[in-house]
């Protein structure tokens, strides 16, 4: 064998898996057809956060007088905002390249496909530099990720001009005066938040009956109220029938409650989900099992083909970078033969809008549907000392516990910096902490995280500050 492990795809799942393999003494290669770091680092998680930070800072200028300060004149340079975002991605891309070199991982630049082989499929790479190369390995890990979903039949696909996917939205050449965002998941809401912060008139269209529909219903309601206060408009329960771009604008046809409407805007962003990258890899010839467009695996990442594994977005929901990294590490440790117990760790979800949204585990509705006898606690930031001092009083923390055992079933947050706070509950859930242990935990004062403590106390009628 040329290698012990070949990883196809160098996103947050693939490059992390490769590093872990190298740490364990396995001769490792990674194949990447585009850029080290994958979509997340180059066209997703990282550059969007750089844009969102710029938007947040600009929007905060509106509130300086509240803090006793005054600024005269407001302007921004969109080119510089985008350039900084791209620079952050470039810096991290170089960092991944350094990690590959440090860990003696061979990087093969090109597009990979699989052919039958043993003990694992052969990897045939169409090299970027020209020609091809076939490599063999004891284990092959697919980490090919996903791309933006399109629906060409009704025009939901980038047109190179007025209709954008996340890629075009990350590098706008001009600031839209008006923008329609189709889809209110994390991607859609984050772009809506950014462009609204810089002054665009933003309309969000969602097919389901509430925005951020994967979140708890109370969070969805609070988010919509907060976004509407910022001037974002919503069409909920709206079926898109046609999207068409022209040289000067886009026209979106929607159907709401049986009535047809037309929305005209400068630009449109299509954010209607993702599609796994399973095409042109040779999966059909190998007989790799798929389910609804994703590769089927067991809890260790093993597919139904000997020696072939899959991790991250290509292996199904949740489509999150940190989930991919976690799966990659576990997959490598398993194939390396490490003695360990599989840990089904809870996976948090985060939306970096203003206000932020973070959650883990079951919603209140899901817990009830699953038959749990539950206790629910809520604590609003409007009662909170640090939130009042900071001027960040929107939102709340909501906890869902199993009544008899005190087990945490789910936590749902909306407000400032909740994406940094959710990990406290994730650790507690991973360690199987109970409500008594959380109640006994000392939270520093004054911090936003104290709301986590109060929401736990509230579930058992012991809240101090409400």
């Amino acid at each position: 064998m040329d290698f012990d492990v070949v990883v196809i795809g160098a996103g947050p799942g693939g490059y992390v898996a490769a590093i872990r393999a190298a740490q364990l003494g396995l001769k490792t290669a990674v194949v990447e057809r585009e850029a080290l770091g994958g979509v997340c680092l180059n066209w997703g998680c990282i550059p969007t956060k750089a844009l969102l930070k710029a938007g947040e800072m600009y929007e905060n200028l509106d509130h300086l007088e509240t803090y006793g300060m005054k600024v005269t004149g407001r302007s921004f340079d969109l080119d510089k905002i985008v350039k900084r975002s791209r620079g952050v991605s470039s810096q991290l891309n170089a960092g991944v390249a350094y990690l590959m070199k440090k860990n003696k991982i061979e990087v093969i630049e090109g597009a990979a496909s699989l052919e039958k082989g043993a003990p694992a499929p052969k990897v045939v790479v169409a090299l970027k530099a020209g020609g091809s190369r076939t490599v063999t390995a004891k284990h092959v890990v697919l980490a090919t990720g996903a791309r933006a979903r399109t629906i060409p039949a009704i025009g939901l696909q980038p047109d190179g001009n007025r209709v954008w996917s996340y890629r075009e939205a990350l590098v706008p050449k001009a600031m839209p005066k008006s923008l329609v965002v189709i889809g209110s998941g994390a991607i859609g809401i984050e772009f809506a938040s950014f462009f609204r912060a810089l002054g665009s008139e933003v309309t969000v269209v969602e097919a389901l009956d509430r925005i951020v529909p994967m979140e708890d219903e109370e969070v969805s309601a609070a988010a919509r109220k907060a976004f509407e206060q910022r001037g974002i408009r919503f069409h909920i329960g709206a079926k898109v029938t046609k999207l068409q771009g022209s040289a000067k604008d886009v026209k979106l046809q929607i159907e709401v409650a049986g009535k047809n409407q037309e929305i005209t805007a400068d630009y449109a962003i299509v954010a209607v989900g993702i599609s796994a990258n399973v095409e042109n890899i040779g999966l059909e010839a190998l007989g790799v099992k798929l389910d609804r467009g994703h590769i089927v695996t067991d809890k260790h990442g093993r597919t139904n083909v000997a020696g072939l594994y899959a991790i991250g977005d290509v292996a199904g929901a949740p489509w999150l970078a940190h989930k991919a990294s976690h799966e990659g590490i576990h997959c490598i440790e398993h194939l390396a033969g490490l003695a360990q117990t599989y840990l089904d760790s809870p996976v948090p979800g985060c939306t970096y809008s203003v206000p932020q949204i973070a959650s883990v585990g079951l919603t209140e509705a899901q817990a009830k549907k699953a038959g749990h006898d539950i206790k629910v606690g809520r604590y609003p930031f409007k009662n909170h000392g640090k939130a009042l001092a900071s001027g960040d009083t929107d939102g709340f923390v909501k906890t869902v516990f199993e009544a008899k055992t005190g087990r945490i079933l789910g936590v749902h947050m909306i407000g400032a910096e909740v994406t940094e706070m959710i990990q406290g509950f994730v650790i507690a859930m991973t360690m199987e902490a109970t409500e008594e242990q959380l109640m006994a935990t000392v939270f520093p004062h004054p911090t936003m995280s104290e709301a986590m403590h109060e929401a736990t106390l509230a579930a058992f009628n012991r809240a101090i500050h409400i």
Side-chain angles (χ1 to χ4, degrees):
M1 298 289 104
D2 297 319
F3 298 95
D4 295 311
V5 178
V6 171
V7 181
I8 300 175
Y15 86 75
V16 167
I19 290 172
R20 186 64 184 125
Q23 288 175 343
L24 293 174
L26 302 176
K27 186 179 180 183
T28 306
V30 63
V31 182
E32 174 55 51
R33 66 182 182 183
E34 190 170 345
L36 293 174
V39 169
C40 175
L41 191 153
N42 295 282
W43 294 102
C45 320
I46 298 301
T48 55
K49 305 311 164 283
L51 294 183
L52 284 160
K53 182 63 177 180
E56 181 183 354
M57 293 182 71
Y58 186 73
E59 197 170 26
N60 282 342
L61 295 175
D62 286 335
H63 310 295
L64 287 181
E65 289 192 16
T66 303
Y67 299 89
M69 291 171 275
K70 193 171 184 178
V71 62
T72 56
R74 293 180 58 190
S75 65
F76 63 85
D77 187 324
L78 181 62
D79 288 341
K80 286 186 177 180
I81 291 173
V82 171
K83 184 178 180 180
R84 177 180 178 273
S85 171
R86 301 314 305 156
V88 170
S89 288
S90 296
Q91 182 177 348
L92 289 173
N93 171 269
V96 175
Y98 164 76
L99 291 172
M100 297 295 100
K101 184 176 181 179
K102 174 188 174 183
N103 288 281
K104 298 180 174 58
I105 298 164
E106 183 172 345
V107 177
I108 305 172
E109 296 185 335
S113 60
L114 302 174
E115 293 183 354
K116 288 184 179 180
K122 297 178 182 178
V123 180
V124 181
V125 185
L127 299 170
K128 277 187 180 180
S132 66
R133 176 182 173 187
T134 299
V135 295
T136 57
K138 297 175 184 176
H139 310 279
V140 174
V141 180
L142 289 173
T144 51
R147 62 189 184 280
R149 180 173 175 247
T150 62
I151 310 176
I154 55 175
L156 294 185
Q157 63 178 353
D159 66 0
N161 183 25
R162 296 279 171 172
V163 181
W164 297 342
S165 71
Y166 59 83
R167 292 209 176 205
E168 292 81 16
L170 279 167
V171 288
K173 294 180 175 61
M175 177 57 56
K177 291 183 179 179
S178 58
L179 175 72
V180 59
V181 178
I182 305 162
S184 72
I187 294 173
I189 285 297
E190 287 183 2
F191 278 119
S193 190
F194 166 68
F195 283 104
R196 180 57 193 156
L198 295 186
S200 294
E201 294 180 3
V202 178
T203 301
V204 177
V205 174
E206 172 56 53
L208 298 179
D209 60 357
R210 56 191 177 94
I211 68 168
V212 285
M214 300 301 292
E215 302 294 341
D216 186 87
E217 290 184 8
E218 287 186 56
V219 170
S220 290
R224 180 173 179 177
K225 181 179 179 180
F227 297 146
E228 286 179 335
Q229 287 175 343
R230 292 179 61 207
I232 298 174
R233 295 186 290 269
F234 292 94
H235 291 278
I236 306 301
K239 177 184 177 182
V240 175
T241 56
K242 188 177 182 181
L243 173 63
Q244 188 170 11
S246 68
K248 63 177 183 177
D249 61 21
V250 293
K251 296 187 185 300
L252 180 68
Q253 306 288 337
I254 62 173
E255 181 183 315
V256 182
K259 296 182 179 179
N260 296 320
Q261 299 182 39
E262 182 176 273
I263 302 170
T264 300
D266 289 338
Y267 295 90
I269 296 176
V270 178
V272 292
I274 62 100
S275 297
N277 292 323
V278 296
E279 301 86 0
N280 304 315
I281 312 175
L283 301 184
E284 299 86 352
L286 292 176
V288 176
K289 188 176 180 181
L290 302 180
D291 180 25
R292 288 170 289 182
H294 292 85
I295 298 173
V296 177
T297 69
D298 68 5
K299 64 184 181 182
H300 305 299
R302 291 181 297 195
T303 72
N304 63 309
V305 174
L308 183 64
Y309 301 76
I311 62 169
D313 288 357
V314 75
W319 301 284
L320 300 167
H322 43 279
K323 171 255 195 183
S325 297
H326 181 80
E327 285 183 344
I329 290 172
H330 173 75
C331 175
I332 293 297
E333 291 178 346
H334 173 76
L335 66 81
L338 267 62
Q340 62 177 13
T341 301
Y342 173 71
L343 190 62
D344 189 14
S345 304
V347 180
C350 299
T351 302
Y352 298 83
S353 50
V354 177
Q356 294 182 4
I357 299 169
S359 61
V360 64
L362 301 178
T363 67
E364 180 179 357
Q366 288 169 341
K368 289 178 178 177
K369 186 176 181 180
H372 294 287
D373 180 17
I374 63 174
K375 288 185 178 292
V376 178
R378 300 172 184 82
Y379 185 74
F381 286 119
K382 67 181 181 181
N383 291 2
H384 201 52
K386 178 63 182 298
L388 285 164
S390 302
D392 295 317
T393 56
D394 287 343
F396 57 84
V397 176
K398 177 178 179 178
T399 55
V400 182
F401 288 88
E402 192 170 54
K404 292 182 180 179
T405 65
R407 178 165 63 106
I408 311 166
L409 297 175
V411 179
H412 311 278
M413 305 178 175
I414 180 169
E417 298 307 320
V418 296
T419 59
E420 298 291 342
M421 294 160 55
I422 192 65
Q423 192 59 25
F425 279 117
V426 177
I427 293 171
M429 292 172 73
T430 300
M431 298 182 70
E432 299 182 347
T434 67
E435 91 289 5
E436 288 294 339
Q437 291 164 318
L438 283 170
M439 289 178 185
T441 300
V442 179
F443 284 75
H445 174 78
T447 62
M448 296 293 281
S449 67
E450 288 176 285
M452 300 162 63
H453 194 217
E454 288 283 359
T456 299
L457 293 168
F460 295 88
N461 298 314
R462 290 176 53 180
I464 302 298
H465 292 99
I466 52 174

